[in-house]
Amino acid sequence: MTDYLAELNQAQREAVLHKEGPLLIVAGAGAGKTKTLTHRILHLVRQGVEPRSILAITFTNKAAGELRERLQKLLASDDLPFASTFHSFGVFVLRNEAERLGLKKNFSIFDRDESLKTIKEAIKSLGLDPKTLEPRKVLNAISRAKSAGHNRSSFLESATSNSFFQKTVGQVWQKYNEGLHEAGALDFDDLLAETVRLFRERPEILGEYQKRFRYLHIDEYQDTNTIQYDLARLLAAAHRNVCVVGDVDQSIYSWRGADFENLLRFEEDYPEARVVTLEENYRSTQNILAAANAIIKKNTKRKEKNLFTKNGAGEKIDLLAGFDEADEAGQVAGKIAQLLAHRAKPEEIAILYRANFQSRALEEGLLRAGIAYQVLGTRFFEREEIKDMIAFLRATLNREDLFSLKRVINIPPRGIGKVTLAKIFSGNTNQLPASTQAKWQSFQTLLNEIKQMTEIMGANEVIKFVLEKSGWQKLLQAGGDDDKERLENLRELVTLAKKYDGLTGTNSTQALLDEAALVTDQDTLNEKKAGVKMMTVHAAKGLEFAHVFVTGLEQNLFPHVFMGVSDEARDEEEERRLFYVAITRAKEKLYLSYAETRTIFGGRQVNLPSEFIFDIEPELFANSLPTPLRDSVIMFWFVSHFSLILQCFTHDPCKKIFRSTLAHQQGCARENCRSWQPFGERHRARGGPGHREPYRALARSSG
């Protein structure tokens, strides 16, 4: 057996050795899926498969980069498989096939802000009021429709006779498409929608990509939406050598169109598929896994598995109960201070929360304690000066991109106002004063010079040229501290752009623009930067930390009351999956916290502890349930099930509750308690605890 196989466990080896035909790898949290995937690709290459015929698709640039780095080390070669995100692959196809689609090769990719502005203009052009017809809701509706595989026509066909909003969205969508076309641009969702359309309408082009990519690998398959699912099916149709890796228990993106049913139906799509389950966890301790298993086993729609580890039991879970969010934050900061005092690395500590608004109190707590931190989500490419430079480059490569032209025409200030801009973009430059025409001509000359630079120099040199030639650098150097910080950020962009120096012609600059358009929240995380990491649970997907704090564990916050709009049972299950993802980020120590009161929308709110806390066996906690928590539990269950409790009181075997809570718990476990049986069945069907659970909680509270 070769060395690279010897270091794998039995299940991993089984997945790696499977060469031909479809393969489903059900990979639990921390089960070494990336290692399995890279070693599988390595094995294919060792078996004579050309690296260029292997395609590996991930969901984040970070994951794709990590995959490429590992493969480069394993293969000891620069001849690597094609590893990218879904959207990066879409850009790759569309830039290659732009002419066949009637697009320019250097088409712009609109970010959300630019798409939103285009939607607003579309609404106004139809004589509608943006205050009444909220542009953000319209854009979200269009985005969801594209992710679900709809174009404008099919979207309108699905509208009911009384669906005024859907029909209005269809009208705006038409104008929105016209705006994108005029700008020579696609939006983020188009990158996949247009790729799928191209493959369906031009089977000969699809055949070319099927011939090249004979082996397809897709990570996080449970997070695919309809259009991603369609793309994968089209690519795999010819050879059926498709390997997908996923875990229903970690499906947490239904709000953006992800459908874990794609993973569950894989064996229906490919009846000959091999299924391998990875259950050995290499990340966490057994206590953490026991909590995770207890949480997720209550879900009904999943692939059964039970994580285990050889890491040992590890430390028990700490439960922190705060009076309010400030007290909770203070306790979290206190625990972190203790960890740091015992030489824990701050970058190995993470604070997770369900909603972004929770970060304020937690940040204040860390600031008071003098603890450095980093909040995930402040994107480098979203800084104004970076967006300005990106707009310069986009306007250079795509003169039809009026958004970019408008953004930079006065950087540095040239005295070109709105009226002048309107005349310029309507083609009436001859109506402008001679001095204004000269300013406009000077700007065009600058863009032409930048364009020439993009054809002979790398993106980093182009950026330096823009800074110097435009006078922008001189302006920032003469400014205050804020301007100097902006200049430093632009110089950091120069450093970032150096990695594309090996590309020729305009490809270097275009590659930088594509990276800017496709960046995700996780790409902003500087793992080497000293400081505690703060982020939402959604943003923490795929990451791991030695010490993890999961905060805000209150009913209606986590699980969130507003999660989802359809199937109630499924929504509850997604919240449980989200909590499962949160606690499985921890390697050594897990902390859970909640606040008894919290200010939300300006009002003070009394909270019940999250039901998730009581899904975990009490022996896994380092401390007993705090008194306020015990009282809240009693009140929670009594109020929630008052009518059922009254029914139970009329049932003779259940009257023992007055004598002994524990006796009732045991006595009511049998099927003869008819009053409770319907409730138990209904609650279990929704993924909740059985009918014994209220009394289990009461028994715990009674000592």
Side-chain angles (χ1 to χ4, degrees):
M1 185 179 293
T2 56
D3 291 340
Y4 66 89
L5 293 177
E7 61 188 66
L8 304 174
N9 64 41
Q10 184 176 348
Q12 290 173 330
R13 281 197 298 274
E14 186 179 346
V16 167
L17 293 173
H18 180 85
K19 183 180 179 182
E20 301 293 330
L23 171 66
L24 169 61
I25 303 175
V26 181
K33 65 171 180 132
T34 304
K35 184 176 185 177
T36 304
L37 196 58
T38 53
H39 280 63
R40 171 175 163 78
I41 293 172
L42 171 64
H43 185 70
L44 287 173
V45 175
R46 294 283 178 88
Q47 295 296 306
V49 177
E50 292 186 7
R52 72 182 307 273
S53 69
I54 301 172
L55 173 62
I57 296 178
T58 68
F59 269 82
T60 66
N61 295 313
K62 181 179 181 296
E66 182 183 352
L67 190 64
R68 283 192 293 269
E69 288 176 9
R70 291 198 187 191
L71 287 172
Q72 193 167 27
K73 290 179 181 178
L74 288 170
L75 296 172
S77 169
D78 291 329
D79 185 16
L80 299 176
F82 193 105
S84 75
T85 65
F86 268 106
H87 290 88
S88 295
F89 179 76
V91 171
F92 167 75
V93 173
L94 295 177
R95 294 226 184 269
N96 286 340
E97 313 299 337
E99 293 183 1
R100 305 196 206 191
L101 281 166
L103 291 169
K104 288 189 174 182
K105 185 178 178 66
N106 293 323
F107 61 83
S108 297
I109 303 172
F110 273 13
D111 62 22
R112 185 168 177 82
D113 287 342
E114 291 162 332
S115 293
L116 199 58
K117 288 176 183 176
T118 310
I119 289 287
K120 287 178 181 176
E121 292 182 1
I123 291 172
K124 290 178 181 178
S125 71
L126 291 169
L128 301 171
D129 185 0
K131 294 181 180 178
T132 305
L133 186 64
E134 191 177 337
R136 196 174 301 277
K137 287 184 178 179
V138 175
L139 180 59
N140 288 342
I142 294 173
S143 179
R144 285 195 300 270
K146 288 180 180 180
S147 296
H150 287 292
N151 56 28
R152 178 179 170 273
S153 298
S154 64
F155 177 76
L156 284 173
E157 287 172 4
S158 66
T160 58
S161 58
N162 60 349
S163 182
F164 174 77
F165 176 76
Q166 194 167 344
K167 292 176 181 177
T168 307
V169 168
Q171 293 178 312
V172 177
W173 193 340
Q174 176 64 35
K175 291 291 183 181
Y176 176 59
N177 283 343
E178 292 172 5
L180 290 172
H181 182 73
E182 289 173 4
L186 298 176
D187 68 16
F188 193 70
D189 298 301
D190 286 332
L191 300 177
L192 295 184
E194 289 300 300
T195 301
V196 169
R197 182 173 72 85
L198 174 71
F199 284 168
R200 282 174 171 164
E201 294 180 359
R202 302 288 295 275
E204 74 279 9
I205 296 177
L206 170 62
E208 293 173 12
Y209 288 89
Q210 289 174 334
K211 185 178 180 180
R212 174 176 172 178
F213 299 114
R214 293 180 56 241
Y215 293 88
L216 175 61
H217 300 78
I218 304 175
D219 195 11
E220 306 288 4
Y221 196 67
Q222 78 282 347
D223 291 334
T224 54
N225 57 31
T226 300
I227 202 73
Q228 291 162 340
Y229 171 81
D230 290 344
L231 178 59
R233 292 267 289 166
L234 287 165
L235 286 170
H239 304 287
R240 300 179 74 82
N241 294 324
V242 54
C243 168
V244 303
V245 185
D247 181 13
V248 170
D249 294 341
Q250 298 183 74
S251 177
I252 59 175
Y253 296 118
S254 67
W255 51 274
R256 68 183 189 192
D259 186 0
F260 65 81
E261 297 280 359
N262 292 341
L263 188 143
L264 294 177
R265 74 167 65 94
F266 185 84
E267 292 169 84
E268 297 177 15
D269 295 336
Y270 304 94
E272 74 276 30
R274 183 83 165 268
V275 181
V276 178
T277 303
L278 307 183
E279 295 181 300
E280 183 174 356
N281 177 284
Y282 295 92
R283 176 188 300 158
S284 307
T285 65
Q286 187 57 51
N287 281 334
I288 294 171
L289 293 185
N293 288 330
I295 290 294
I296 205 63
K297 71 180 182 181
K298 294 194 172 184
N299 279 6
T300 56
K301 287 197 171 185
R302 57 190 297 261
K303 288 249 180 212
E304 189 63 38
K305 64 181 181 306
N306 195 57
L307 294 181
F308 69 94
T309 185
K310 298 176 183 176
N311 291 338
E315 294 188 59
K316 292 190 175 184
I317 302 166
D318 273 14
L319 181 62
L320 311 178
F323 171 72
D324 57 15
E325 64 267 36
D327 186 30
E328 179 193 27
Q331 292 191 48
V332 169
K335 288 289 184 181
I336 292 174
Q338 291 177 14
L339 290 171
L340 297 175
H342 287 84
R343 299 190 180 277
K345 296 179 180 179
E347 59 271 21
E348 278 290 310
I349 303 171
I351 302 175
L352 310 184
Y353 35 83
R354 179 62 181 81
N356 277 306
F357 79 85
Q358 295 170 249
S359 68
R360 179 193 58 80
L362 293 163
E363 284 187 70
E364 290 176 357
L366 295 177
L367 286 169
R368 283 193 295 268
I371 297 171
Y373 63 90
Q374 178 190 5
V375 181
L376 183 67
T378 306
R379 299 184 183 183
F380 177 75
F381 286 105
E382 288 182 352
R383 292 173 174 149
E384 288 301 308
E385 62 276 11
I386 302 300
K387 294 185 78 168
D388 290 341
M389 179 57 75
I390 294 297
F392 252 118
L393 302 179
R394 278 176 36 174
T396 297
L397 297 183
N398 180 11
R399 293 295 182 86
E400 295 177 355
D401 189 347
L402 299 186
F403 276 101
S404 295
L405 282 169
K406 289 176 183 177
R407 186 178 184 101
V408 299
I409 198 169
N410 278 310
I411 298 178
R414 294 183 177 84
I416 299 177
K418 291 183 179 180
V419 176
T420 302
L421 281 173
K423 290 180 180 179
I424 289 173
F425 293 127
S426 63
N428 298 318
T429 54
N430 59 327
Q431 300 178 10
L432 298 173
S435 61
T436 305
Q437 289 189 42
K439 292 175 183 176
W440 169 239
Q441 188 58 50
S442 174
F443 179 67
Q444 286 189 304
T445 301
L446 173 63
L447 292 182
N448 290 333
E449 291 176 347
I450 299 171
K451 180 67 161 60
Q452 292 173 5
M453 285 292 295
T454 64
E455 293 171 352
I456 60 175
M457 303 296 292
N460 68 310
E461 293 296 334
V462 174
I463 295 169
K464 288 192 282 188
F465 179 83
V466 173
L467 281 170
E468 185 176 350
K469 189 71 176 178
S470 67
W472 192 5
Q473 179 171 281
K474 186 177 180 180
L475 180 70
L476 293 174
Q477 286 174 334
D481 291 341
D482 288 346
D483 283 336
K484 288 183 173 62
E485 185 178 344
R486 293 186 184 99
L487 184 57
E488 286 303 311
N489 288 333
L490 287 164
R491 286 170 175 166
E492 179 63 24
L493 183 63
V494 172
T495 302
L496 177 66
K498 286 183 178 180
K499 66 181 177 183
Y500 299 115
D501 280 355
L503 300 176
T504 59
T506 60
N507 292 334
S508 174
T509 301
Q510 191 62 70
L512 176 65
L513 294 179
D514 289 344
E515 179 179 353
L518 301 174
V519 71
T520 65
D521 281 342
Q522 279 198 7
D523 300 321
T524 68
L525 182 66
N526 186 350
E527 294 176 333
K528 296 180 181 178
K529 181 179 178 181
V532 175
K533 310 306 180 189
M534 297 179 60
M535 66 196 77
T536 64
V537 180
H538 284 100
K541 177 79 178 297
L543 304 177
E544 60 181 35
F545 304 90
H547 313 278
V548 172
F549 293 79
V550 185
T551 61
L553 282 168
E554 300 132 31
Q555 207 64 17
N556 297 336
L557 178 57
F558 201 176
H560 202 286
V561 68
F562 298 120
M563 187 63 190
V565 293
S566 55
D567 181 8
E568 187 180 3
R570 179 168 172 169
D571 295 337
E572 288 182 4
E573 292 204 355
E574 175 133 341
E575 286 294 288
R576 189 170 286 107
R577 291 194 296 268
L578 189 60
F579 184 59
Y580 174 84
V581 167
I583 63 179
T584 54
R585 300 311 93 197
K587 294 192 290 185
E588 299 174 14
K589 179 73 176 181
L590 177 64
Y591 302 82
L592 307 179
S593 70
Y594 74 98
E596 294 175 357
T597 62
R598 187 179 297 274
T599 302
I600 299 179
F601 296 118
R604 205 70 181 159
Q605 179 175 295
V606 178
N607 305 310
L608 297 169
S610 171
E611 63 190 73
F612 296 153
I613 294 173
F614 303 102
D615 289 338
I616 301 172
E617 292 299 324
E619 57 265 24
L620 296 177
F621 288 100
N623 50 336
S624 58
L625 298 180
T627 301
L629 181 58
R630 293 199 299 265
D631 295 341
S632 298
V633 170
I634 294 170
M635 183 59 67
F636 172 63
W637 285 112
F638 186 79
V639 172
S640 301
H641 310 111
F642 182 71
S643 62
L644 292 167
I645 290 172
L646 287 180
Q647 294 178 39
C648 199
F649 287 170
T650 64
H651 188 228
D652 287 339
C654 297
K655 291 180 181 179
K656 296 178 181 179
I657 189 173
F658 293 110
R659 303 190 195 107
S660 170
T661 298
L662 185 60
H664 178 267
Q665 177 196 356
Q666 295 169 342
C668 206
R670 295 187 294 272
E671 297 293 325
N672 64 346
C673 186
R674 297 179 181 178
S675 298
W676 282 93
Q677 192 174 347
F679 165 72
E681 292 173 354
R682 184 170 65 252
H683 201 50
R684 280 192 296 271
R686 295 175 60 195
H691 68 277
R692 292 172 56 190
E693 195 64 19
Y695 296 98
R696 202 174 284 164
L698 285 169
R700 293 174 195 164
S701 69
S702 63

